Amino acid sequence: MRIETQLAQLGSNKETKTGAISYPVYYSTTYRHAGLGESTGYDYTRTANPTRAVLEEAIARLEGGTAGFACSSGMAAVQTVMGLFARGDHLIVSLDLYGGTYRLFESLMTRYGLSFSYVDFRRLDEVKAAIRPETRAFFVETPTNPLLQVTDLHAVCEIARCHGLITIVDNTFMTPYFQRPIECGADIVIHSATKYLGGHNDVLAGLIVTKGEDLSEQMAGLHNAIGAVLGPQDSWLLLRGMKTLALRMEKHQENAYQLAHFLRQHPLVDEVFYPALQSETWEIQTKQADGGGGMLSFRVKSPALVGPLLSSLRLIAFAESLGGVETLITYPHTQTHADIPEETRRKVGVCDRLLRLSVGIENVDDLIADLAQALDQAERVWKEEKRDEVRDPIAPQR
Ligand SMILES: *Cc1c(COP(=O)(O)O)cnc(C)c1O
């Protein structure tokens, strides 16, 4: 079955007792045993829950993996995967990394004796040079957040295989609709399902998919032992959201493409980052993914434009997060990337002129009109400020 069909039918033929099309929410935390040594497969809900199991089976199949695990958040998924490693282990990680993952690694995991090197995965020689005897894994995001840089997954997974390392990919930005890292050679896929998979900014969830029986068994043990599992109601909400993933991703992408073109020709915009706009990036992206997704970022001409632009938007919400049906704009400098050291931020290009858009599924003309009027307003404020500076000679000089 094609992916759109799998998605629309999630859980719809699993309930045999009543034939319910929408899979029920099983709230029971415990399950009766018929006798000694007997079980329906469900004993205690942390270990397994029927509603969660439908979701876990679904994500494993969509990603082409062996087993799936639903967690209480994307960060819980990352932490559960980190349970694979022990004191002394070293991981090589994407330099342009989700801020919360960076914080977890540096503020907590280092205390448990893990160490991390942050490398630009577009430079394969730097990746190879960072490998040490104690290196165990690569942890990759592609495209990266917020600069939409693309890592060649086939090449990176091949390097990992040659050195006996595992490759972990955070696939939040692409979802299995556009990209299936396990098909490229990855061993573990992680999602913040809070984003595109849920799709409606109303459920916090994380997912893990593992390849192979060994890793899957280990992960099942960690998932149960750590206990950061997804509740039954949230599992159901996520299943419901995922049914429309294909339609949403197509629309997110179509709108993002048009907004990227609008922004690129705007005189107040210096640079636009969207995978389809950079030919070198696009060449790699089309080898490993079926599209460019719905995220883009752009640099405005001056940091003085940012404040007035954000307060002039009427439709697009200035809010953190991404992947929902509503268009959101974020300012990575003070929001998502605030925990990343200034030096790293500068190195990857997250500056005070950069804005990130999670493009929703609204009519794109309304989105363009909103951005256009907000940019006009911002320009007016900016020019007035400059004029005031000239008029008032004691005003501080920049
Ligand atoms: C949001 C996000 C996370 C963290 O997920 P939560 O569900 O917020 O815990 C991890 N990785 C990426 C790429 C994200 O965007």
Side-chain angles (χ1 to χ4, degrees):
M1 273 191 295
R2 314 275 190 335
I3 194 161
E4 298 91 327
T5 314
Q6 286 182 46
L7 287 164
Q9 294 280 339
L10 285 184
S12 68
N13 59 2
K14 294 273 182 203
E15 214 288 308
T16 49
K17 196 168 171 194
T18 66
I21 296 290
S22 168
Y23 195 80
V25 185
Y26 284 83
Y27 287 107
S28 186
T29 53
T30 188
Y31 296 82
R32 181 184 294 119
H33 305 303
L36 204 58
E38 288 182 56
S39 167
T40 58
Y42 296 100
D43 311 314
Y44 184 61
T45 198
R46 171 161 31 75
T47 320
N49 170 281
T51 313
R52 200 176 81 217
V54 171
L55 170 66
E56 292 174 333
E57 239 181 85
I59 192 65
R61 192 148 55 102
L62 291 165
E63 288 284 4
T66 309
F69 305 91
C71 302
S72 51
S73 69
M75 290 322 304
V78 176
Q79 179 168 9
T80 302
V81 168
M82 286 300 116
L84 289 172
F85 305 107
R87 172 172 295 280
D89 287 351
H90 170 250
L91 285 87
I92 301 173
V93 181
S94 288
L95 180 67
D96 191 6
L97 189 72
Y98 176 69
T101 305
Y102 178 84
R103 181 176 55 202
L104 178 76
F105 288 175
E106 289 304 310
S107 71
L108 191 68
M109 292 299 139
T110 51
R111 282 205 271 130
Y112 294 163
L114 302 187
S115 64
F116 303 88
S117 297
Y118 300 89
V119 172
D120 184 343
F121 269 82
R122 292 174 302 175
R123 309 222 166 89
L124 296 175
D125 47 336
E126 285 180 26
V127 174
K128 284 184 207 159
I131 298 172
R132 308 178 196 159
E134 63 274 22
T135 305
R136 296 285 171 265
F138 291 155
F139 188 104
V140 179
E141 280 178 27
T142 180
T144 58
N145 172 22
L147 288 170
L148 288 306
Q149 294 166 351
V150 173
T151 292
D152 184 337
L153 282 178
H154 291 98
V156 163
C157 293
E158 183 56 22
I159 296 172
R161 206 185 53 77
C162 291
H163 289 82
L165 314 176
I166 62 169
T167 305
I168 304 161
V169 179
D170 182 333
N171 202 28
T172 300
F173 270 36
M174 286 284 102
T175 82
Y177 182 73
F178 282 135
Q179 177 172 278
R180 291 161 301 279
I182 288 174
E183 289 176 3
C184 303
D187 303 281
I188 297 176
V189 171
I190 292 176
H191 283 282
S192 168
T194 315
K195 315 294 168 54
Y196 285 110
L197 293 173
H200 296 75
N201 289 319
D202 57 9
V203 57
L204 183 76
L207 294 170
I208 303 165
V209 178
T210 47
K211 182 179 77 176
E213 293 304 330
D214 279 358
L215 262 181
S216 302
E217 225 169 89
Q218 261 182 291
M219 200 62 68
L222 288 166
H223 191 230
N224 182 48
I226 293 170
V229 301
L230 192 63
Q233 173 87 56
D234 287 345
S235 298
W236 182 87
L237 266 174
L238 188 49
L239 275 169
R240 174 155 88 175
M242 284 166 66
K243 283 171 174 275
T244 55
L245 182 71
L247 281 175
R248 288 188 283 110
M249 292 313 284
E250 288 293 343
K251 184 70 174 169
H252 285 301
Q253 167 164 263
E254 189 188 308
N255 282 357
Y257 190 76
Q258 293 202 42
L259 273 189
H261 278 278
F262 161 75
L263 288 167
R264 193 150 75 152
Q265 53 72 44
H266 199 284
L268 293 182
V269 175
D270 262 352
E271 244 179 312
V272 178
F273 303 93
Y274 184 68
L277 294 186
Q278 279 90 19
S279 63
E280 218 176 294
T281 303
W282 193 235
E283 198 180 306
I284 301 169
Q285 181 71 0
T286 47
K287 273 196 290 183
Q288 64 197 28
D290 303 321
M295 299 298 299
L296 65 90
S297 56
F298 60 101
R299 260 194 252 287
V300 288
K301 284 240 171 332
S302 161
L305 288 164
V306 172
L309 170 68
L310 291 173
S311 53
S312 304
L313 288 165
R314 295 180 193 137
L315 170 66
I316 298 170
F318 173 37
E320 270 172 79
S321 200
L322 63 106
V325 292
E326 306 91 352
T327 300
L328 304 182
I329 191 163
T330 47
Y331 187 42
H333 186 67
T334 60
Q335 290 181 307
T336 52
H337 284 58
D339 283 309
I340 309 245
E342 175 68 33
E343 195 202 319
T344 310
R345 266 189 281 168
R346 201 171 327 115
K347 209 157 129 194
V348 300
V350 178
C351 71
D352 58 359
R353 293 184 292 122
L354 188 78
L355 289 156
R356 186 191 78 182
L357 275 171
S358 169
V359 183
I361 64 167
E362 302 92 340
N363 185 301
V364 75
D365 294 337
D366 290 333
L367 297 174
I368 289 175
D370 195 33
L371 272 172
Q373 66 81 20
L375 282 161
D376 282 352
Q377 288 275 74
E379 185 176 29
R380 193 153 48 233
V381 175
W382 185 37
K383 281 189 174 153
E384 271 165 25
E385 261 177 28
K386 276 206 285 197
R387 203 176 329 118
D388 289 347
E389 273 169 27
V390 175
R391 259 202 226 122
D392 181 359
I394 27 188
Q397 295 296 305
R398 296 217 173 191

